Each structure stands twice: as structure tokens, then as C-alpha cells.
Amino acid sequence: MTMPNEDTNTMRVLQGLESSSSVRLQAALAVGTTPDPRFIDKLIERCAIEPDFYVRDMLTWALTRYSSSMTVPKLVDELRSERAQARSQALHTLSKIGDRQAWPAITRALLTDADDEVARSAWRAAVVLVPEGEEPELAGVLATQLGRGERETQLSLSRALIALGEVIMPALRAAMTDLDPRVRQHAIATERLLRNPDAGFEFAIEEAKRIVALGTTSQEE
């Protein structure tokens, strides 16, 4: 039986998640510190619309404090949302929870989503959740996104690919002969970073530009 003061506390927390950013942050912290399954739906709902990065991060942390059996199915449902932030935050949270039962929900459509933030979240989630033995297939899908977007997006993709290790090399070699110079540059830069993680993405991409301009490939140098 729910006590009246419990209902009051619940209402206070729910109202807090709709208040100022500092109050929202404290409310999310409170929900994560003392998990109550009644808050799961509200946390996920809030993730989809929360404008403050730090509050979103706290909402994600709060969700990781619950049993994955309660959160993962609801987060997977969010992946079908028409709202890009809902998809992105659900993917981000799934990557933090790390329950591989969510893997089938990381579809090619999400990995190639038109929204950069959704795609980047999908890449990060995929490399965390991919089952052993399926890395080469994932690398092949990720390689189709080489050359996409601005530097931040390209760096995210390179990091995701590199996290998969040497299995990415066949996909990278194929991309190094692509007709699109941006794809070739990104593939070469990613290969450079795989070989020398300390090089830095800016150095790697500039070196890749030079290689493409000279008409050579990474292996020919």
C-alpha cells in the first residue's frame, strides 16, 4: 500500500523534472539515487525533450540504475520514435546499460539515420553491443558512412570503427578506392588512427588529404 507521504514525494520529483534546469538536475539525481520503477517512463519521456546536456546525462545515469529488464524494452520502443532526440538518447542510454539483448534493435536504418546525432549514437551503441563474430558485418555497414558529415561526425565514425579493431581493414581498403575523395580521405585517416592512435584526427585527415591529392593509397607509401 502506498503511503500518502510517498505519493507526495513522487509528485515532488515529477514536478522537479519539469522545473528549472538546476532543479531538473537534482530531481534526476534523486531518482537515480533511490530508484523507483514508477519513474522509468517519466525519465525516458524527459530524455526525448530535455534541452540541457548535463540534465540529459543525469537522466541517462538514473536509467542505468534500474534493472535492464525494466528499461531496455522501453528504450528499444523509443528507437521507433519520430523525434530524433528520443532515438539518440535511447541509443546513448542503451550503450551505457550495455545489455546485448538490445543488439537486434540496432538496425541498419539507425546506423545510417539521416540525423547525425542519431547516427553517432547508433555507432557508439553498436560497438558496445555487437555480439562476438558479428564485428565484420558491422564494420561493413559503418564503412558505408565514411565521408559523411563534418569533422565531429567523421571523428565519431572513425572511433567506432577503430573500436572494432583489425576486422575493419577489408572495409577500409575497399573505401580507399571509392570514387568519392571524401570517402577515400576518411578511410585513409581512419586506417592511420588505427595504426597510430596518438596521431590525432586532424593530423590523420590532413595527411589523408595529401595522399588522395597525390593519387596514392595508404598501402603504396
Side-chain angles (χ1 to χ4, degrees):
M1 182 176 177
T2 305
M3 302 300 289
N5 63 326
E6 290 181 3
D7 289 335
T8 301
N9 289 337
T10 299
M11 189 59 65
R12 186 180 299 118
V13 171
L14 292 175
Q15 289 174 345
L17 289 171
E18 303 285 352
S19 188
S20 66
S21 59
S22 60
V23 175
R24 295 198 305 275
L25 188 67
Q26 289 301 315
L29 174 61
V31 173
T33 302
T34 310
D36 182 328
R38 290 177 296 176
F39 293 128
I40 292 175
D41 287 344
K42 184 62 178 180
L43 288 170
I44 293 175
E45 176 189 316
R46 190 68 213 176
C47 280
I49 59 174
E50 175 55 53
D52 188 293
F53 169 81
Y54 296 103
V55 178
R56 288 200 305 272
D57 214 37
M58 188 65 77
L59 291 167
T60 287
W61 171 80
L63 284 164
T64 66
R65 302 272 294 160
Y66 292 83
S67 167
S68 62
S69 64
M70 291 189 287
T71 56
V72 168
K74 293 177 182 292
L75 290 165
V76 166
D77 286 343
E78 282 291 279
L79 299 182
R80 294 188 285 271
S81 172
E82 293 184 3
R83 186 186 291 270
Q85 184 172 308
R87 301 195 302 278
S88 177
Q89 281 302 119
L91 286 161
H92 175 64
T93 306
L94 287 169
S95 74
K96 295 298 183 182
I97 292 171
D99 187 334
R100 286 186 169 176
Q101 290 188 59
W103 168 248
I106 311 301
T107 61
R108 188 186 188 99
L110 287 169
L111 293 168
T112 60
D113 197 284
D115 186 279
D116 283 346
E117 284 305 311
V118 175
R120 291 173 66 197
S121 295
W123 302 337
R124 289 190 290 264
V127 299
V128 170
L129 301 174
V130 62
E132 187 175 352
E134 295 192 33
E135 296 91 347
E137 185 177 352
L138 174 58
V141 177
L142 293 182
T144 67
Q145 302 302 290
L146 286 164
R148 170 179 175 166
E150 301 303 321
R151 292 295 171 87
E152 191 175 10
T153 299
Q154 292 192 3
L155 176 56
S156 290
L157 181 59
S158 291
R159 284 174 172 165
L161 283 163
I162 290 166
L164 295 175
E166 291 291 330
V167 300
I168 68 173
M169 284 310 301
L172 286 186
R173 290 192 189 100
M176 287 176 193
T177 63
D178 195 274
L179 294 176
D180 187 338
R182 281 175 58 87
V183 174
R184 298 201 301 275
Q185 289 167 12
H186 196 182
I188 293 168
T190 302
E191 189 264 351
R192 284 291 195 265
L193 284 175
L194 177 65
R195 302 296 179 210
N196 182 16
D198 296 328
F201 187 70
E202 287 300 323
F203 176 81
I205 202 73
E206 290 304 320
E207 185 180 12
K209 282 183 178 180
R210 178 180 62 82
I211 293 168
V212 169
L214 291 172
T216 60
T217 68
S218 179
Q219 283 78 27
E220 290 171 349
E221 283 208 317

